Amino acid sequence: PAGVGEARCVAGANGDFGRQAAARYTTQDGVRWSLTAGVDSEHSISNGLSLVGRKGPMAFVDPLHGVIVSKPDLGGFGVYSTADGGANWSYHALTPPSGEHQSFGPEAANIEVVDGALLLGVAYRASITPAAAFVFRSVDGGSTWSQPVEVPTTDGLTAPRFAGSKVWWIADTGAVEVTVNGGRNWLRTGLGLPNTDHVHAVYPIDDRRAWAFAGGLLDPPNLLYETTDGGTTWSVRKPPA
């Protein structure tokens, strides 16, 4: 939600010749949505948005200032930022340390508003370089970004998620990693999964409580876990039918 009575979303799809089309919508009532910007093969630029790259996720700090994450088709990544509620957008390229991953772009991205700032987490699947994950921070609505903080990962399949400005969680193969001091120290905790199972996603509530979905790597998750002690121990819960 961007303000009282208003919500915004960004939708992506495969355009002509496999290129990524995207559209941005707003609504006042959740029923009727209005197209406010769109890019496709016939409209490669719209309000500063470019057709190049996959768009999303999106987050707004307030009704005027927001960002859309974009992964260009040929590698690298960045964000589009707006300071006028989405009427106009500017692109800002972001680069991980030494740029070793920018040729491929991130596998996953997550952006959230935490304590008035934007926290952006990205993860890179292993290729010619090891898997890696990073967190970027912006305190001016997405116009400028901090140097990235490295986050532990062994597969690079899921992006970090945030329960506070310094409380970050990330699913990592059969385990979950959590920090409460902005990445200086990490707790790695297993869920007692069978060797063939994988943590697909973690959804933190705060520095103590979180939910995790797990299952076979190539299968939909079918196990639900909960922690109430900061990830030290996990209890299996039956997912809702």
Side-chain angles (χ1 to χ4, degrees), residues 31-157:
V31 177
R32 294 176 294 272
W33 291 80
S34 299
L35 176 67
T36 56
V39 286
D40 54 34
S41 60
E42 296 182 358
H43 308 87
S44 60
I45 299 290
S46 177
N47 302 84
L49 293 177
S50 168
L51 175 62
V52 177
R54 292 177 291 173
K55 309 298 186 295
M58 176 175 68
F60 270 76
V61 178
D62 56 44
L64 295 178
H65 298 86
V67 297
I68 299 173
V69 181
S70 176
K71 175 188 171 185
D73 300 323
L74 299 178
F77 88 105
V79 298
Y80 288 93
S81 68
T82 180
D84 56 12
N88 297 281
W89 297 85
S90 299
Y91 182 73
H92 309 273
L94 298 175
T95 305
S98 73
E100 67 267 32
H101 295 280
Q102 65 179 337
S103 296
F104 301 95
E107 175 74 16
N110 172 53
I111 190 162
E112 300 178 35
V113 178
V114 181
D115 297 333
L118 288 163
L119 290 180
L120 168 61
V122 294
Y124 293 80
R125 182 195 294 263
S127 54
I128 59 174
T129 55
F134 304 97
V135 170
F136 296 81
R137 177 184 174 90
S138 174
V139 296
D140 58 7
S143 295
T144 61
W145 294 83
S146 69
Q147 290 298 309
V149 176
E150 191 165 3
V151 174
T153 182
T154 56
D155 59 13
L157 296 180

